[in-house]
Amino acid sequence: MAVGPDVTPAEEHRGGSDARVIERSREEPELFATLFDRHADAVYGYTARRLGAEAAEDLTAETFTIAFQQRHRYDLTRADAAPWLFGIATNLVSRHRRAEARRFRALARLPQPVEHEEPVADRAVDRAGATGVRRELAAALSGLSAPHRDVILLVAWGGLDYEQAAQALGVPIGTVRSRLNRARSKLREALGGADPTALREVEARA
């Protein structure tokens, strides 16, 4: 399709799949900006919830820098690049495990809001903003092992399904299911039986 005088190459391919954008960006690097436009907000939200807004700015930028550098290795049979990008972001988060645990412990010590509270089970993880993780949940998350925290937050905060989470982490889907079930069990125990991770994404695939 010919590109009109007022249409840039990036605009021409905005409707294509992520894989198509990445493929074209190998010869036309400027097209990679389309991938940033599509996914940067989601990656930022995920990393901000885990490490805070300030760190998320740097991690989001680094995620897309690494993705750009590695675009020639991307599996073009995967139309959606979100799992790949969240996998890169999760690897970057892993360099800050202690900072993440400290953040959740600090959030767990914050005073409880005085306004009318929803039941803990209704304060689902996907409703928590970058600085809005409730203290009960923050305390419970700080007690999870890194692999369990990664998988449950990829599903809960990254919005990935089981197969996508497996792609992001480079593990079998059975491992994702096992880790997720274990993580949810630990969170229920820490929260006195309430399950704040019974999200639409989780329930639909349980």
Side-chain angles (χ1 to χ4, degrees), residues 109-197:
R109 294 193 295 269
L110 291 177
Q112 193 76 302
V114 296
E115 69 268 16
H116 292 294
E117 294 282 3
E118 297 177 85
V120 174
D122 293 337
R123 298 200 295 261
V125 179
D126 65 342
R127 296 178 187 173
T131 59
V133 182
R134 298 289 183 158
R135 68 180 188 181
E136 306 99 322
L137 179 56
L141 288 171
S142 71
L144 292 180
S145 68
H148 290 125
R149 192 159 60 229
D150 283 344
V151 72
I152 203 165
L153 296 185
L154 279 170
V155 172
W157 289 347
L160 304 188
D161 61 26
Y162 287 7
E163 183 177 356
Q164 290 174 325
Q167 291 175 15
L169 296 171
V171 299
I173 193 169
T175 300
V176 167
R177 291 183 181 276
S178 175
R179 289 179 183 176
L180 185 60
N181 289 338
R182 181 62 174 161
R184 292 182 66 188
S185 177
K186 284 179 172 291
L187 289 178
R188 276 196 297 268
E189 181 180 354
L191 293 168
D195 182 9
T197 65

Side-chain angles (χ1 to χ4, degrees), residues 44 47-49 51-61 103 130-131:
Y44 173 83
T47 53
R49 284 170 170 172
L51 290 170
E54 184 175 351
E57 293 279 359
D58 292 337
L59 264 65
T60 300
R103 179 171 186 268
T131 59

Side-chain angles (χ1 to χ4, degrees), residues 14-26:
R14 283 186 188 280
S17 70
D18 291 344
R20 178 60 173 160
V21 171
I22 293 170
E23 181 181 27
R24 289 299 304 269
S25 77
R26 293 171 178 176

Side-chain angles (χ1 to χ4, degrees), residues 60-143:
T60 300
E62 191 173 357
T63 294
F64 283 91
T65 297
I66 292 171
F68 179 79
Q69 293 169 344
Q70 297 182 354
R71 70 192 189 281
H72 291 279
R73 295 161 51 188
Y74 183 76
D75 181 356
L76 296 174
T77 65
R78 296 178 174 176
D80 183 3
W84 178 55
L85 294 169
F86 277 101
I88 295 171
T90 300
N91 285 337
L92 293 175
V93 169
S94 71
R95 301 177 184 175
H96 304 273
R97 293 293 187 199
R98 291 182 180 178
E100 181 183 34
R102 284 197 303 270
R103 179 171 186 268
F104 285 139
R105 287 195 296 268
L107 289 172
R109 294 193 295 269
L110 291 177
Q112 193 76 302
V114 296
E115 69 268 16
H116 292 294
E117 294 282 3
E118 297 177 85
V120 174
D122 293 337
R123 298 200 295 261
V125 179
D126 65 342
R127 296 178 187 173
T131 59
V133 182
R134 298 289 183 158
R135 68 180 188 181
E136 306 99 322
L137 179 56
L141 288 171
S142 71

